[in-house]
Every structure is written in C-alpha cells, then in structure tokens.
Amino acid sequence: MVIKKDMILRQIGDDIILVPVGNALKDHNGLFMLTESACFLWQKLPECSSVHELARKLYDEYDVSEEQAFADTKEFIDKLAELDIIDKL
C-alpha cells in the first residue's frame, strides 16, 4: 500500500501519534492517536500489497483470530483511505 501523506510516527510517553508534516499539514491540522496494534500496522504498510497480507502480519504478531485480524486491519485501512492518507490497493 502507498502512503500518500507525509506523516511522522512519534511516541510520547505511552501515547503513539502520527504527526502530519509538509504538505499533509494543509489537509490535516491535528494529530492521529494510534493503538499499539495500529502502530504495528502503520509500520508494516509499506511492505504489504493487500489488506489480507497486512492482516496476516497482525495475526502472526498478536493473539487474535484470523477473522478479528482481518476486520481490525480493514477498519484501519478504510479509515486511512477515508482521510486520504493512503491509496488502497
């Protein structure tokens, strides 16, 4: 999947956030809070070409069912696409 917007991942204390930078500041004027699993998915995005491949990585990393991993991954990807942060494949 392709990340379209300039975002920097930061951890501040226990909080994990995505910070828009550069041109992304024009479209997004806030921070995006991520859960631990959302952070994991974000970091794996560039190496995955499908939601299924990304969900498999989540399934392999966390103690969740395959169905839950796919549902959570799809929700995350759909939200990023809705915010125009990524191009869905």
Side-chain angles (χ1 to χ4, degrees):
M1 282 176 240
V2 177
I3 298 172
K4 295 172 29 174
K5 303 289 181 175
D6 294 325
M7 299 280 180
I8 296 175
L9 184 67
R10 292 284 184 247
Q11 183 161 355
I12 301 173
D14 291 335
D15 295 328
I16 304 168
I17 56 174
L18 277 178
V19 181
V21 295
N23 289 331
L25 285 171
K26 295 178 206 171
D27 301 324
H28 305 287
N29 61 359
L31 306 174
F32 301 94
M33 302 293 292
L34 300 180
T35 63
E36 180 183 329
S37 58
C39 176
F40 175 83
L41 291 172
W42 177 261
Q43 292 172 321
K44 298 299 180 186
L45 271 174
E47 61 191 66
C48 295
S49 60
S50 70
V51 174
H52 289 284
E53 185 180 354
L54 192 58
R56 183 65 192 190
K57 289 188 179 292
L58 186 68
Y59 171 75
D60 290 343
E61 184 72 16
Y62 291 92
D63 185 26
V64 296
S65 68
E66 289 185 56
E67 295 80 16
Q68 188 63 53
F70 180 77
D72 291 350
T73 302
K74 184 173 181 335
E75 180 181 350
F76 180 67
I77 294 303
D78 287 348
K79 187 62 175 177
L80 291 177
E82 176 186 315
L83 293 167
D84 200 33
I85 294 171
I86 65 165
D87 277 331
K88 279 177 38 174
L89 297 177

